[in-house]
Amino acid sequence: MTTLTEARHARAIERGLLGRLADRIGGGLVQVALVLIAVFWLVPTLGLLVVSLRGEKENNSTGWWTLFTKPAQVTFENYSNLLASGFTSSFWNTVLITVPATVLVIGIAAMAAYAFAWIDFPGRDAIFLVVIGLLVVPVQIALIPIAKLYGALDIFGSILGVVLFHVAFGLPFAIFLLRNFFVGIPRELLEAARMDGAPEWRIFVTVVFPLAKPAIASLGIFQFLWVWNDLLVALVFADSANQPMTKALQSQMRQFGTNVDILAPGAFLSLIIPLVLFFAFQRYFVQGLLAGSVK
Amino acid sequence: MTERLDGPQAPGGDELAAGGSPGPAETDSDVARPPATDTDTDTDTGADTSADTATDPHPADTTGAATAPRPAGGTATTRLGPSPKMAVLFLLPALLLLAAWVIYPIIYSIFRSLFDAAGDRFVGLENYAAIFSDSGTLTTIRNNIIWVVVAPLIVTVLGLIFAVLTERIRWATAFKLILFMPMAVSLLAAGVIFRLVYEQDPDKGVANAVITTVHDTFSSSQGYPGARPRENDQAPVVLKDGDVVTRQPVQPGQQVLIPLVGLKPDAVKDATPAKTAAAGGLSGTVWLDVVHGGGGTVNQIDGTEKGLAGVTVEAVADGKVKATTETAADGTFYFSGLPAGSYDVRLPQSNFEAAFNGLTWLGPTLITPAIIGAYIWVWAGFAMVLIAAGLSAIPRDALEAARIDGATEWQVFRRITVPLLAPVLLVVFVTMVINVLKVFDLVFIIAPGSVQPQANVIALEMWRVSFGGGGNQGMGSALAIFLLILVLPFMIFNIRRFRRDER
């Protein structure tokens, strides 16, 4: 027994000297490799930013990286042109679509999740399994039928139609995420409230909702990003008066080369708010990811 | 999978359990709940336990197997909880929306896919048959197969590598944020970003700028397409099989003049004026024997004529290359230490090929790999974060014990880390497969219109055929159903995993 541990120790020490040297070198290589990877990941976005800050003539003649040797190229002309061109209205459309779609999903899904987690009713588990099944349903399946439906309801092209579509397709994930959080809430809290005779909606609002803040934050940021960044749904259901930024930019893609002075600043403006939100709430973002990597 | 949020302090723990053998998964999800309960509500427990015990012996709830084996709580709330009517009220908005926007469309699409473009004529499975006979949609399916085979694997492997490597660095958080950032960016913006990256012109697209720089570093060929000797008897060099060769053999100590013509003045506008090479050894000058604006003497270096830099020059004897050198900025070259004898001086054909101009990323051949590259840029951070969470939940003791026993890092990784991570890797991989099947935006944005048929995928074809000018909703519905069928196995996978975790 002792000889075994001694042998182990001897080997560990022997490894220790050589091993530490190898670790040093290896560690250095890892650092360098990771720096390179990080640069690799940053450069494309940096390129977009720099291109958006250079005039049409410069972008057509030299690479954006020359900006670092000739910083005088920087101009905000692209941005001022873009804002003057009516791009702001599509920005507001994005906001008008995203905010209601996010708030509605949170509210509706929280109610449903509460029922799935804390109210017992026949068929509960079967229905919840259906919701889980719906998690992976591609939106493509609904484009044609819902376009017909919206035509009949006369909301085709409207912001309302886009919002409702996003709410419906956001629900399975939202219910799934919140329900799983709600079942983890200490039973005693709810039952104490129920014993006190509090009505169900009040338990929901005063006990469950405040406790679920982290989950709601996760869900909120996810839904916000999905809707804000969506192109396909807007492409089908939003007409040109109600189109969000993604669709407005997509319509400029056909002449990519000549429209870079619109596309680059537009794309950059469209990703600023998601990026700010992402950095502000990245903790919740990661939690949400960990909770539901299925969609 | 299911309980991951209730333990934010150790999200990886559940992650690890998800998809694992039923044993650990069971204990894990059960353990995850009680700690929170205990710490948060110490004061309430008295009253609650009594409530629990009071209600527990009642007959089990009617809802079936899934809830029955749960520890006390599930059934306990039933008795105190509200009536099923209340549940209907809470569920109504969600279920209405899901029924009208998700379930009804599935049923409608199934029927619609059996009708023709206008929707008047029943065509049976003709639309589906068309998917598998039309060459356009077959390309689409082929592309989807490439996507599914390549993208999830690369994303998962990269995620694993990054997650393992970041464990050893102090700035891991910053690194993760950088890699993770693209997930917050819309795929449209990512598409615009990569359209810029993949620009053909190396002066605009950073991908080709890097590639040509690397290429030029290793291959000095400057590329003087069109340069050639004068076609007359006085010219000291002649064109032979694409190479430029001296007319007469030369000996060391001799000055070799290699005048060329056929270049536009622009091509050498920044070049240094040609000089006569220093004497000694075998030396000479390669230059553009043209004076801008006329004048000058043919086959002689006049003051303003430009030297051709970076031209590969070979000294050939008996058909074998004896020495190779390259011209300097002023066009001079010099072979040192060449034994006496008679040589042909040759400028190989490679000097006169067009300069390497990077890859045509957005052309028909490379378009799908190029878009997959953008996809990896977007999703690698996602894989890394999930896998890193799983990694942090691996018991350190197991790794340490193996290291002390003399296992190399690679063995530890291969034999311990990867097997323990297998469930997480599966989750990441499956999530990526589902996602890849639906890929739309990146292909739509990055592939230029003319190349879209070669880059097409099912989700894009579905949109194109029914809204983007195709006008064939029968076919569109069939493609949508086809897509749904493709994700069906993963639907079942999710449901089964959930049911197992719940137990």
Side-chain angles (χ1 to χ4, degrees):
Chain A
M1 192 63 215
T2 32
T3 47
L4 189 71
T5 31
E6 269 166 21
R8 267 191 184 183
H9 277 290
R11 232 181 303 162
I13 290 166
E14 184 191 326
R15 230 188 68 81
L17 291 172
L18 278 173
R20 230 176 291 159
L21 188 68
D23 282 355
R24 275 279 166 79
I25 299 168
L29 285 179
V30 166
Q31 298 268 0
V32 171
L34 288 178
V35 168
L36 283 178
I37 293 165
V39 168
F40 201 80
W41 247 258
L42 277 177
V43 161
T45 320
L46 184 68
L48 178 77
L49 172 64
V50 173
V51 166
S52 76
L53 291 174
R54 283 168 23 118
E56 201 182 338
K57 211 174 77 223
E58 285 80 9
N59 277 329
N60 276 331
S61 53
T62 54
W64 56 264
W65 46 91
T66 58
L67 184 104
F68 299 107
T69 46
K70 281 182 267 174
Q73 296 174 26
V74 171
T75 167
F76 291 94
E77 205 182 316
N78 292 336
Y79 284 92
S80 56
N81 288 345
L82 183 75
L83 294 180
S85 75
F87 187 72
T88 36
S89 75
S90 66
F91 175 87
W92 288 116
N93 287 334
T94 297
V95 173
L96 284 176
I97 290 168
T98 307
V99 172
T102 306
V103 172
L104 280 174
V105 158
I106 292 173
I108 295 173
M111 284 168 64
Y114 181 84
F116 281 123
W118 291 116
I119 305 178
D120 210 19
F121 57 92
R124 176 173 78 169
D125 296 280
I127 299 175
F128 191 63
L129 286 181
V130 171
V131 172
I132 292 178
L134 295 182
L135 274 172
V136 296
V137 171
V139 292
Q140 273 80 6
I141 203 88
L143 297 181
I144 293 171
I146 297 300
K148 283 252 157 56
L149 180 74
Y150 283 1
L153 296 175
D154 205 21
I155 55 170
F156 189 83
S158 69
I159 283 183
L160 177 68
V162 180
V163 168
L164 287 176
F165 193 97
H166 280 304
V167 172
F169 271 84
L171 277 177
F173 175 78
I175 296 172
F176 175 74
L177 188 104
L178 290 181
R179 181 264 178 200
N180 287 343
F181 189 88
F182 287 173
V183 271
I185 289 176
R187 266 153 245 280
E188 292 79 0
L189 283 185
L190 270 105
E191 298 189 347
R194 279 177 182 168
M195 296 278 273
D196 290 347
E200 210 63 17
W201 62 266
R202 189 185 291 164
I203 300 177
F204 176 66
V205 173
T206 59
V207 180
V208 174
F209 223 74
L211 277 176
K213 263 182 201 153
I216 288 171
S218 293
L219 169 61
I221 178 151
F222 262 92
Q223 177 73 9
F224 188 95
L225 290 178
W226 275 328
V227 179
W228 187 279
N229 291 336
D230 158 77
L231 170 63
L232 179 57
V233 176
L235 208 54
V236 174
F237 295 110
D239 59 25
S240 55
N242 296 315
Q243 65 182 8
M245 282 183 285
T246 46
K247 188 180 177 182
L249 289 172
Q250 191 278 324
S251 64
Q252 305 292 327
M253 284 300 292
R254 202 169 282 265
Q255 284 94 33
F256 185 83
T258 49
N259 283 343
V260 163
D261 53 333
I262 301 169
L263 282 164
F268 199 80
L269 280 183
S270 81
L271 61 80
I272 285 213
I273 288 184
L275 270 193
V276 168
L277 272 179
F278 168 73
F279 281 115
F281 295 102
Q282 44 108 353
R283 195 165 66 88
Y284 298 110
F285 190 71
V286 172
Q287 280 174 16
L289 267 190
L290 296 177
S293 47
V294 278
K295 197 171 166 178
Chain B
M1 186 62 237
T2 55
E3 308 288 350
R4 236 160 284 143
L5 256 190
D6 58 10
Q9 56 275 52
D14 304 281
E15 190 55 49
L16 200 66
S21 59
E26 215 173 305
T27 42
D28 205 304
S29 53
D30 281 346
V31 173
R33 246 173 277 145
T37 318
D38 290 344
T39 47
D40 285 355
T41 57
D42 259 353
T43 46
D44 294 333
T45 22
D48 286 318
T49 27
S50 61
D52 273 356
T53 40
T55 47
D56 233 0
H58 282 272
D61 54 333
T62 49
T63 48
T67 45
R70 269 201 215 165
T75 40
T77 52
T78 319
R79 303 302 133 204
L80 263 174
S83 63
K85 271 188 215 149
M86 205 63 192
V88 172
L89 222 62
F90 273 73
L91 281 173
L92 200 61
L95 293 189
L96 272 180
L97 277 161
L98 286 177
W101 267 263
V102 187
I103 297 186
Y104 153 76
I106 294 176
I107 299 163
Y108 180 97
S109 293
I110 293 175
F111 283 107
R112 187 65 186 80
S113 71
L114 305 174
F115 286 81
D116 69 351
D120 315 320
R121 197 169 58 85
F122 182 80
V123 296
L125 296 177
E126 241 172 60
N127 286 323
Y128 293 94
I131 294 178
F132 294 101
S133 55
D134 179 72
S135 73
T137 41
L138 282 178
T139 310
T140 299
I141 292 170
R142 188 206 65 187
N143 284 338
N144 263 87
I145 292 172
I146 295 176
W147 271 90
V148 168
V149 169
V150 175
L153 191 69
I154 297 183
V155 168
T156 312
V157 169
L158 278 184
L160 177 62
I161 294 173
F162 295 165
V164 171
L165 291 187
T166 45
E167 281 218 309
R168 301 153 155 255
I169 57 166
R170 289 217 191 94
W171 49 290
T173 314
F175 182 82
K176 283 180 182 164
L177 274 182
I178 290 172
L179 259 82
F180 207 38
M181 196 184 61
M183 282 211 65
V185 171
S186 71
L187 293 172
L188 171 113
V192 173
I193 286 171
F194 274 86
R195 271 296 274 271
L196 291 169
V197 167
Y198 288 140
E199 287 259 23
Q200 170 72 63
D201 183 350
D203 280 339
K204 290 194 209 163
V206 72
N208 274 346
V210 170
I211 286 185
T212 51
T213 309
V214 172
H215 179 273
D216 292 351
T217 314
F218 290 105
S219 136
S220 48
S221 157
Q222 287 258 330
Y224 292 106
R228 55 186 160 78
R230 277 204 177 79
E231 286 159 8
N232 57 38
D233 295 343
Q234 279 78 47
V237 284
V238 289
L239 201 61
K240 204 155 109 197
D241 301 332
D243 304 334
V244 172
V245 189
T246 44
R247 194 182 290 273
Q248 310 289 339
V250 292
Q251 280 83 36
Q254 212 176 324
Q255 289 279 330
V256 186
L257 293 181
I258 306 183
L260 297 174
V261 293
L263 287 177
K264 291 201 185 88
D266 273 0
V268 290
K269 141 172 119 236
D270 301 323
T272 323
K275 284 211 189 75
T276 313
L282 180 56
S283 59
T285 310
V286 182
W287 85 103
L288 183 64
D289 190 23
V290 175
V291 175
H292 190 50
T297 321
V298 168
N299 295 342
Q300 276 185 27
I301 301 170
D302 301 298
T304 56
E305 288 173 350
K306 306 287 184 152
L308 298 182
V311 176
T312 308
V313 188
E314 294 169 346
V316 183
D318 311 325
K320 284 192 187 124
V321 177
K322 298 292 179 187
T324 306
T325 186
E326 197 175 290
T327 57
D330 54 10
T332 56
F333 62 90
Y334 175 75
F335 291 104
S336 57
L338 212 57
S342 126
Y343 297 92
D344 289 324
V345 173
R346 178 167 79 181
L347 312 184
Q349 191 173 12
S350 62
N351 290 310
F352 310 111
E353 282 161 358
F356 178 67
N357 230 355
L359 299 170
T360 313
W361 297 102
L362 302 178
T365 357
L366 283 182
I367 186 68
T368 298
I371 303 172
I372 291 178
Y375 182 89
I376 291 166
W377 180 79
V378 173
W379 284 98
F382 161 83
M384 177 191 64
V385 166
L386 277 195
I387 294 170
L391 211 53
S392 66
I394 288 183
R396 297 288 111 177
D397 318 0
L399 303 180
E400 277 315 307
R403 287 197 184 108
I404 288 176
D405 279 350
T408 63
E409 278 308 305
W410 171 249
Q411 283 171 327
V412 171
F413 176 74
R414 181 71 195 74
R415 304 284 159 130
I416 301 178
T417 311
V418 170
L420 282 175
L421 276 179
V424 188
L425 297 178
L426 182 70
V427 168
V428 171
F429 186 79
V430 166
T431 309
M432 285 297 96
V433 172
I434 299 172
N435 193 285
V436 155
L437 283 172
K438 303 180 196 169
V439 66
F440 166 83
D441 306 45
L442 282 180
V443 181
F444 187 43
I445 298 299
I446 296 180
S450 57
V451 196
Q452 269 191 11
Q454 280 84 26
N456 210 348
V457 288
I458 299 169
L460 174 57
E461 176 66 6
M462 186 272 150
W463 175 82
R464 218 186 51 75
V465 116
S466 26
F467 299 98
N472 186 346
Q473 301 203 331
M475 187 70 177
S477 299
L479 282 165
I481 294 293
F482 182 50
L483 207 55
L484 184 67
I485 291 170
L486 290 180
V487 298
L488 219 53
F490 305 104
M491 195 182 271
I492 295 160
F493 172 88
N494 277 339
I495 291 174
R496 290 180 61 166
R497 200 172 46 163
F498 175 77
R499 292 183 68 160
R500 196 193 48 225
D501 289 358
E502 277 299 276
R503 236 175 284 130

